[in-house]
């Protein structure tokens, strides 16, 4: 059993909000970064093959504070 995203996954919902465009994904993510609560998590539903899978993205750590050169993408 693998965890995380697969290359063939189709984003279906983030935090129970249906996704239709990449701009919607960007907006949800940007809004979550601005949230004042400590709960930095996104509940993601993907379609993988003929089934729906659920992923939890937890991003509480601010990697920029750890040193940008180490975490650049």
């Amino acid at each position: 059993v693998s965890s995380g995203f697969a290359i063939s996954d189709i984003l279906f919902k983030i935090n129970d909000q249906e996704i239709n465009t990449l701009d919607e994904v960007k907006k949800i993510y940007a809004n979550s970064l601005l949230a004042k609560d400590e709960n930095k998590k996104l509940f993601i539903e993907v379609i993988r093959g003929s089934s729906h899978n659920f992923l939890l993205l937890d991003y509480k750590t601010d990697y920029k504070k750890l040193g940008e050169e180490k975490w650049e993408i």
Side-chain angles (χ1 to χ4, degrees):
V1 177
S2 66
S3 62
F5 290 102
I7 198 156
S8 61
D9 284 349
I10 299 170
L11 273 172
F12 184 62
K13 290 183 180 180
I14 299 176
N15 289 350
D16 215 26
Q17 181 177 340
E18 197 167 316
I19 299 300
N20 295 302
T21 67
L22 183 57
D23 285 336
E24 291 173 342
V25 174
K26 292 177 182 179
K27 183 178 178 182
I28 290 169
Y29 183 69
N31 288 338
S32 69
L33 290 176
L34 296 173
K36 296 187 188 255
D37 63 0
E38 293 294 319
N39 186 16
K40 299 290 186 185
K41 296 179 182 176
L42 294 175
F43 187 66
I44 301 169
E45 183 177 352
V46 298
I47 299 172
R48 184 176 296 166
S50 60
S51 64
H52 288 246
N53 292 302
F54 301 93
L55 308 168
L56 180 63
L57 176 62
D58 185 348
Y59 56 98
K60 286 184 277 190
T61 304
D62 183 353
Y63 289 104
K64 290 194 180 240
K65 290 181 181 177
L66 297 175
E68 290 184 8
E69 67 283 346
K70 185 175 179 181
W71 300 101
E72 283 185 14
I73 296 175

